[in-house]
Amino acid sequence: MNRIAEHREKAGIKQRQLVAALGWTQTRISNYEAGRRTAGLAECRAITAALNQLGAACSLDDVFPPEQDEIKAA
């Protein structure tokens, strides 16, 4: 589960603005937000950086919270 849409909306960022900042398609971002597609680490970092560039104040862990199983294993 990710929180892309939550942080994007909280900062007043339109999906098309995020798409433009990343240079990706709207379908790609929509699929990430809906959980139909899973972002790799590079994509997660790019999305977080773009959100921050557009005015959101968030970290990688804010947008892509670690799974509880991963936390317990660490």
Side-chain angles (χ1 to χ4, degrees):
M1 183 71 160
N2 67 64
R3 295 185 176 147
I4 301 168
E6 177 183 330
H7 286 280
R8 179 178 58 72
E9 292 167 0
K10 182 175 150 185
I13 300 166
K14 302 275 187 207
Q15 195 177 66
R16 68 175 177 264
Q17 293 173 290
L18 182 57
V19 165
L22 290 163
W24 296 349
T25 65
Q26 189 158 2
T27 301
R28 184 175 180 180
I29 293 298
S30 177
N31 284 337
Y32 286 144
E33 287 187 358
R36 290 184 294 266
R37 185 173 178 175
T38 303
L41 181 57
E43 290 84 5
C44 292
R45 288 179 174 163
I47 291 166
T48 303
L51 286 169
N52 279 287
Q53 175 188 359
L54 293 168
C58 53
S59 70
L60 185 64
D61 283 349
D62 292 334
V63 182
F64 299 93
E67 297 293 326
Q68 290 301 318
D69 292 341
E70 292 175 12
I71 295 170
K72 291 176 185 172

